[in-house]
Amino acid sequence: MKAHKPLKIIFFSMILSQAAYGQGSEEYGSGLKINIDQSGSKYVRFIIWNQIWTRAMELNPGSMVNGQPTTWHYDLGIRRARMLAYAQINHRFLILTHFGINNQTFINGGAPMGGMTGNGDTYTSGKKPGIFFHDVWNEYAVIPTENPTTKKANKNSLYIGTGLHYWHGVSRMTSASTLNFMAVDAPIFNWFTIEFADQFARYFGAYAKGKVFDRLDYRIHISKPFATTLELPRATNGTPILDRAVENNSGSNSWIKSGYLMWQFLDKESNVLPFTVGTYVGTKKVFNVGAGFQTMPNATKHYILRGEDTVEQSNTANVAGVDVFLDMPFGGASNQAITLYSVLYNHNWGPNYYRTVGIMNEASVLKDPNYTGPVSINGFGNTRPLVGTGQIWYTQVGYLLPKNILSKKQKHSFDSNGQPILNHYPNTKASVDRLQLFGAYTLHNLQRIGNPVHSIDLGLNYFIAGHHAKITLQYSARPHIPDGNGNRQEGFKSEFILQTQVFL
């Protein structure tokens, strides 16, 4: 029996942690955490989350889904299902591992050959997605945030780490947490090398992070881009298309250099982990201004004429960003809050570089053979502009409604002044359920398109227990740019997304 005592301690620690913190954001505390010593300074913490999407989408013209011409498409899929664990048994080092799946639908997102049964032995399917590592890194404290001897806070700190990491430069949203978005998701162009030079927005590299003067938060890294070998574009007759860059770093062993600085004017944010918060739901006063950069030599290639010869030319990809983040509660006991984030990116990837994206896009790459109208320059399904040489401006604003909007009077429950307690959870400290309205606007001004392109998102968050249990409804107006009209936007295509999220 003595041999099983440590296991019992760990088991009951997890149970007590869940019981004590499982109700919501205010009660969750340190979450699924196993304390290895009595002080809690030595620990292992687990984070588990699911995000399920139900969608209704107006597809780009000429789209087909599962061989069927489709104008509106309806589906349900897994946007993210992940688990993260990190541990610190000594103030001088930390280990983190993060794995899971993303973007599984009924027709794609599965493992290659994973769904051969029932689908004619085709190579791709929506079945049995492969779990893979998102983050794997080791970190060491050079100058810790707290002096281990005096236990006083250090105004300057420095940590260094290596591995498959997420300590990005350029902007706050480039290191966005997927657990606490204000909108239903990131705009994706914040991860500008997504799945090309990175592994799901992660690089192999070394990073340094910390704070200076207690207010200047910094993160810098030098990383190795994943190999990309996209074919340079040619016309249908095989003639090379000049001055149109694509991601291709073959023949290069260059490294990425990147960094981001942000000055924290009000409440300070934690940087134990790289993941930045989208909205604090009225629990923190934050005002930050930041700026960052990334340079990636030999990132793209394009064809040029050199005399009478057509040759390949390599380009350095340079990206810069400036942003501002405000999260400000107001209204006293009503605990209303305004959340604002705005970022301006400047991209230079080489001439006419342009890339599109369609999250969980289930449409075929082939056009409906019976469709004779103009198609979108972005392709089929729910594809839209992602990044390119030029500028992108993104702004989102949210309003947290007063706390008493969804409160309920509990019978025979009164405070010390004899007033009814407004609380859904009379046996806990949990606050009432909350509602948040939000909107976002995106302006793409890209060289390849040559005209301004606009996108709009509107939505509602219903917080059952903060971000730990929430339901998000979002309407998105995606830009429609038909081929053959000079790349001018002609209205929008509509998308409705209902997301259910739980994380522990």
Side-chain angles (χ1 to χ4, degrees):
M1 295 296 292
K2 291 182 178 179
H4 297 289
K5 188 174 181 180
L7 293 176
K8 289 183 178 179
I9 292 174
I10 291 175
F11 175 77
F12 283 109
S13 295
M14 291 185 71
I15 294 298
L16 290 172
S17 177
Q18 285 181 288
Y21 302 118
Q23 287 290 336
S25 57
E26 293 183 1
E27 295 70 41
Y28 189 75
S30 56
L32 297 174
K33 180 180 176 184
I34 303 172
N35 290 330
I36 300 174
D37 66 353
Q38 291 184 347
S39 69
S41 61
K42 300 178 180 181
Y43 61 87
V44 179
R45 184 181 175 186
F46 301 92
I47 303 175
I48 305 167
W49 69 102
N50 293 335
Q51 293 170 335
I52 310 300
W53 280 13
T54 304
R55 303 186 294 177
M57 300 175 290
E58 184 182 11
L59 303 187
N60 294 342
S63 295
M64 292 195 301
V65 177
N66 201 26
Q68 177 70 32
T70 306
T71 302
W72 276 87
H73 182 58
Y74 310 88
D75 75 345
L76 190 149
I78 299 174
R79 177 67 175 104
R80 297 179 181 91
R82 310 232 196 118
M83 180 173 182
L84 182 150
Y86 65 97
Q88 189 164 23
I89 59 174
N90 185 305
H91 72 276
R92 298 178 62 190
F93 59 86
L94 178 145
I95 183 173
L96 182 143
T97 302
H98 171 196
F99 54 90
I101 69 163
N102 309 274
N103 303 330
Q104 184 185 10
T105 75
F106 83 103
I107 200 170
N108 53 28
M113 305 298 286
M116 292 171 60
T117 303
N119 67 355
D121 297 347
T122 56
Y123 182 71
T124 59
S125 78
K127 301 177 184 177
K128 305 180 183 72
I131 293 176
F132 68 94
F133 286 108
H134 292 64
D135 298 279
V136 180
W137 76 72
N138 301 323
E139 182 179 282
Y140 303 90
V142 179
I143 305 174
T145 55
E146 180 184 89
N147 186 305
T149 303
T150 65
K151 303 301 181 182
K152 293 183 178 180
N154 289 323
K155 289 189 176 182
N156 303 308
S157 60
L158 170 63
Y159 295 81
I160 59 174
T162 59
L164 184 65
H165 72 89
Y166 191 66
W167 291 95
H168 290 303
V170 181
S171 76
R172 174 189 184 88
M173 192 168 264
T174 313
S175 296
S177 168
T178 62
L179 295 176
N180 43 48
F181 291 134
M182 182 162 64
V184 76
D185 209 323
I188 310 302
F189 51 73
N190 54 304
W191 301 307
F192 37 84
T193 62
I194 187 78
E195 283 298 277
F196 273 12
D198 63 42
Q199 177 172 293
F200 223 78
R202 275 76 177 177
Y203 300 121
F204 280 121
Y207 66 85
K209 57 100 171 181
K211 293 188 178 181
V212 179
F213 308 128
D214 201 36
R215 290 290 177 180
L216 182 64
D217 186 287
Y218 68 90
R219 56 187 71 191
I220 58 175
H221 73 87
I222 178 170
S223 300
K224 192 73 172 176
F226 284 83
T228 57
T229 56
L230 293 185
E231 292 186 6
L232 275 65
R234 292 177 178 268
T236 54
N237 63 2
T239 302
I241 297 176
L242 302 179
D243 296 325
R244 187 175 294 182
V246 298
E247 287 206 39
N248 186 315
N249 60 19
S250 60
S252 171
N253 284 307
S254 300
W255 290 72
I256 295 169
K257 292 92 175 177
S258 188
Y260 177 67
L261 305 174
M262 63 176 169
W263 188 269
Q264 302 179 339
F265 289 92
L266 300 177
D267 291 351
K268 290 173 287 186
E269 297 183 279
S270 171
N271 66 354
V272 174
L273 301 181
F275 313 110
T276 58
V277 172
T279 175
Y280 282 99
V281 198
T283 63
K284 206 174 183 73
K285 292 182 179 179
V286 179
F287 177 52
N288 298 343
V289 176
F293 74 96
Q294 178 157 308
T295 183
M296 188 164 51
N298 304 309
T300 67
K301 287 186 173 72
H302 68 281
Y303 285 122
I304 63 170
L305 280 177
R306 184 171 294 165
E308 296 182 357
D309 298 324
T310 301
V311 298
E312 296 180 1
Q313 174 72 47
S314 292
N315 307 287
T316 295
N318 291 310
V319 183
V322 292
D323 59 8
V324 59
F325 176 67
L326 173 72
D327 209 341
M328 185 61 62
F330 67 92
S334 68
N335 190 223
Q336 302 168 72
I338 291 292
T339 303
L340 166 72
Y341 178 72
S342 187
V343 58
L344 176 65
Y345 295 106
N346 186 74
H347 291 263
N348 188 350
W349 294 79
N352 293 298
Y353 174 83
Y354 180 60
R355 186 181 170 193
T356 63
V357 68
I359 299 177
M360 298 166 64
N361 186 7
E362 296 161 330
S364 168
V365 297
L366 302 176
K367 182 177 75 74
D368 171 10
N370 297 316
Y371 177 77
T372 58
V375 298
S376 170
I377 68 168
N378 296 316
F380 302 108
N382 63 339
T383 51
R384 62 172 70 198
L386 180 63
V387 296
T389 294
Q391 295 77 41
I392 303 173
W393 177 44
Y394 175 78
T395 297
Q396 60 177 202
V397 179
Y399 168 53
L400 184 67
L401 274 65
K403 183 180 290 188
N404 60 6
I405 290 290
L406 295 179
S407 63
K408 294 181 179 180
K409 294 183 179 180
Q410 305 295 325
K411 293 183 179 180
H412 311 298
S413 297
F414 301 90
D415 63 19
S416 58
N417 296 319
Q419 298 298 314
I421 296 175
L422 302 179
N423 195 332
H424 274 312
Y425 313 102
N427 297 320
T428 74
K429 297 179 182 179
S431 61
V432 297
D433 298 2
R434 304 301 302 271
L435 292 176
Q436 182 185 52
L437 303 173
F438 65 84
Y441 169 75
T442 302
L443 171 65
H444 281 84
N445 185 18
L446 304 179
Q447 180 188 38
R448 173 80 172 276
I449 297 177
N451 298 292
V453 175
H454 312 274
S455 306
I456 299 170
D457 303 299
L458 300 171
L460 170 71
N461 285 314
Y462 172 38
F463 297 104
I464 300 170
H467 289 289
H468 298 287
K470 72 175 181 179
I471 299 172
T472 302
L473 177 63
Q474 177 171 302
Y475 167 75
S476 295
R478 174 178 93 247
H480 174 48
I481 311 172
D483 192 16
N485 76 334
N487 291 342
R488 291 185 298 273
Q489 180 176 348
E490 293 188 1
F492 301 92
K493 297 296 181 182
S494 295
E495 299 180 5
F496 296 89
I497 302 174
L498 179 68
Q499 174 181 270
T500 58
Q501 170 178 302
V502 173
F503 91 84
L504 303 174

